[in-house]
Amino acid sequence: MKRKVQVGIIGTGPAGLLLAHLLKRAGIEALVLESRSREQIESTIRAGVLEQWTVDLLISLGLGERLKREAHFHDGITLRFGRGSHHLDFPELTGGKRVTVYAQHEVIKDLVAALPADMIQFGVKNVSLHGLDTDHPTIRTAEDEIDCDFIAGCDGFHGPSRQAIPANALKTYETVYPFGWLGILAEAPPSHHELIYARHERGFALLSTRSPEVQRLYIQCDPADDLANWSDDRIWNELHQRLETDEDWSLTEGPIFQKNIVAMRSFVCETMRWGRLFLAGDAAHIVPPTGAKGLNLAAADVVVLARALTRFYADGKEDLLDTYAATCLERIWRGERFSWYMTTLLHRNDAEEDFVRRIHMADLDYVVSSHAAQQALAENYVGLPMAF
Ligand code: FAD
Ligand code: DHB
């Protein structure tokens, strides 16, 4: 079937769905195409931390009701190393900003539920992009041919959008880390009232939360490791060791009902625009999860894109479309820097010399003893200023 839409969006991750909402609010017609089913996208376990402005954006779009009721709002994070804990007081350090923990798939559920059903097509197969260097790019699927004014490639790192850009036009930067995260969900009451980021001789560990009954935890592991090697006993044993402290604190255990391993990379595709194709979110950039930035960077991209498209449809001006990549990349590189910093600061990397390891320890000592250093970490963690 042949169809026509102003903006064709590929992917129902945070980038694609938020863009659909922003365009709908601006009166621009959009259609979102997703290869997976609604059940799949609503149950994929990923991010947890939202920047303050992302929360404010969701609320301003009328999408924050459940978030306000069910999210966890923390007054900072704890850094743990050398058997000691150090609380960073974010409201004091940032002029009132806090940490919001609300699972990505809950954001996805809220975004999907609030879009008209005819704006999303799930289970779409064989998506391909054509005519990107013309005024009428087309998305072909197994069943449809959709003529668009613009295509937004919001299809994540492995999607077809970035691959539709000629290889010789792509300008990319990448570094791959020699470790990954084993993430678990456990039916256990909270062990602590905020997130604990731990650096330990045995490797990094992170304690996060999902609800009063469910805790989210991560352990640094080999990215090629097999989940079969990680029995529940081994996971708890590692977590106890890596989160050890001389304080009166203990980790609460409970049945583990979900496990996965993710590899870690930093990646930036600076070619975020190719003709009438605009890349947003993980399609254009990846950060290691230690800084909790990925979802938030995806949201920032589509705010910039929606503003540019709104201007184009309101008065025919292409200036904001022309500056889209440059505008986004400023924030993206800052997010890349912070995510790389938090990752190298907190993980054990056997490829590093002992000297570098001691530098990381000195850095941690500096952070917890300097108000200025804490402020720098906190302002990045809660999110750099973003107008929307
Ligand atoms: P995605 O969420 O990847 O969405 C892309 C969509 O496109 C998918 O639904 C996919 O099915 C669809 N798609 C792909 N190919 C096709 C195709 N051929 N046709 C149609 N559709 C297609 N970020 C944070 O901000 N805070 C955190 O605390 C955080 N923690 C994380 C923890 C972990 C363990 C991981 C793995 C990630 C974490 N992130 C975090 C990163 C965050 O999850 C991603 O950055 C975010 O999902 C990016 O959103 P997106 O919309 O760009 O892409
Ligand atoms: C979570 C994920 C992160 O990447 C992070 O830095 C903090 C928390 C989480 O899933 O809760």
Side-chain angles (χ1 to χ4, degrees):
M1 197 171 79
K2 264 192 173 293
R3 310 179 53 175
K4 185 156 183 12
V5 68
Q6 288 178 310
V7 180
I9 301 174
I10 308 175
T12 56
L17 290 170
L18 251 181
L19 179 61
H21 275 280
L22 292 164
L23 295 180
K24 178 170 160 280
R25 185 175 65 172
I28 298 167
E29 186 196 348
L31 175 66
V32 197
L33 303 171
E34 168 61 49
S35 53
R36 295 184 299 157
S37 68
R38 180 170 179 177
E39 293 67 36
Q40 281 173 314
I41 65 153
E42 291 187 346
S43 60
T44 303
I45 307 298
R46 292 185 78 177
V49 176
L50 304 181
E51 291 180 359
Q52 182 80 52
W53 78 271
T54 307
V55 173
D56 296 341
L57 171 68
L58 291 170
I59 291 171
S60 81
L61 285 166
L63 298 164
E65 284 316 307
R66 201 161 66 90
L67 183 155
K68 281 192 267 181
R69 280 198 315 273
E70 296 179 16
H72 300 262
F73 302 97
H74 297 171
D75 279 342
I77 59 169
T78 290
L79 295 179
R80 183 168 289 173
F81 56 95
R83 303 184 66 91
S85 296
H86 309 269
H87 168 72
L88 272 54
D89 181 341
F90 284 178
E92 188 273 320
L93 292 161
T94 64
K97 293 182 181 161
R98 307 171 80 195
V99 178
T100 303
V101 187
Y102 189 63
Q104 178 167 328
H105 67 281
E106 303 296 350
V107 176
I108 296 288
K109 281 187 212 165
D110 295 345
L111 292 174
V112 170
L115 274 183
D118 62 1
M119 277 185 74
I120 315 182
Q121 258 179 257
F122 292 104
V124 173
K125 298 294 167 231
N126 304 340
V127 166
S128 60
L129 298 83
H130 306 271
L132 299 176
D133 51 359
T134 71
D135 285 351
H136 290 286
T138 307
I139 304 174
R140 281 193 208 130
T141 73
E143 286 169 1
D144 295 310
E145 182 163 321
I146 303 150
D147 278 340
C148 312
D149 296 338
F150 299 97
I151 298 176
C154 302
D155 44 5
F157 185 67
H158 301 287
S161 295
R162 192 179 63 256
Q163 290 164 33
I165 301 175
N168 61 5
L170 286 176
K171 189 158 173 56
T172 61
Y173 300 83
E174 181 172 32
T175 188
V176 177
Y177 303 88
F179 38 76
W181 278 11
L182 164 63
I184 62 159
L185 287 169
E187 272 170 48
S191 309
H192 196 59
H193 62 281
E194 60 193 17
L195 272 60
I196 302 176
Y197 286 82
R199 182 181 172 117
H200 190 272
E201 270 300 293
R202 299 182 68 83
F204 170 78
L206 169 59
L207 171 76
S208 182
T209 187
R210 285 294 179 267
S211 74
E213 299 83 32
V214 174
Q215 300 306 291
R216 176 77 164 146
L217 295 117
Y218 298 99
I219 329 178
Q220 176 182 348
C221 66
D222 184 327
D225 209 341
D226 191 336
L227 277 178
N229 295 328
W230 287 90
S231 67
D232 292 6
D233 276 353
R234 179 174 174 210
I235 291 173
W236 288 118
N237 184 26
E238 274 303 324
L239 284 166
H240 279 292
Q241 293 189 68
R242 296 182 191 194
L243 290 163
E244 69 187 354
T245 167
D246 290 332
E247 294 135 27
D248 181 19
W249 181 88
S250 65
L251 178 65
T252 39
E253 291 188 22
I256 297 173
F257 62 92
Q258 202 265 352
K259 295 181 195 175
N260 67 328
I261 291 178
V262 291
M264 293 223 223
R265 74 172 75 226
S266 296
F267 171 83
V268 180
C269 171
E270 287 202 336
T271 320
M272 292 179 72
R273 178 197 187 164
W274 179 252
R276 290 253 171 156
L277 166 68
F278 291 83
L279 301 181
D282 279 16
H285 43 81
I286 296 286
V287 285
T290 328
K293 286 281 156 272
L295 185 163
N296 298 287
L297 286 175
D301 289 351
V302 296
V303 165
V304 177
L305 184 53
R307 195 181 297 139
L309 290 167
T310 302
R311 183 163 168 99
F312 175 84
Y313 283 109
D315 52 26
K317 291 214 167 81
E318 296 197 26
D319 54 341
L320 296 185
L321 291 170
D322 292 340
T323 54
Y324 168 72
T327 305
C328 291
L329 283 164
E330 214 173 284
R331 186 181 189 85
I332 290 163
W333 276 112
R334 290 180 195 191
E336 292 284 344
R337 184 206 69 83
F338 180 67
S339 304
W340 171 87
Y341 168 72
M342 289 289 279
T343 301
T344 49
L345 180 69
L346 292 166
H347 288 72
R348 181 189 172 95
N349 182 350
D350 287 327
E352 282 175 355
E353 294 166 335
D354 285 346
F355 176 83
V356 178
R357 209 162 294 151
R358 296 305 280 250
I359 292 290
H360 294 317
M361 293 313 295
D363 197 341
L364 277 169
D365 280 335
Y366 174 57
V367 167
V368 300
S369 58
S370 156
H371 191 263
Q374 285 182 31
Q375 224 164 10
L377 192 153
E379 82 166 339
N380 280 279
Y381 194 98
V382 300
L384 295 172
M386 176 74 202
F388 61 85

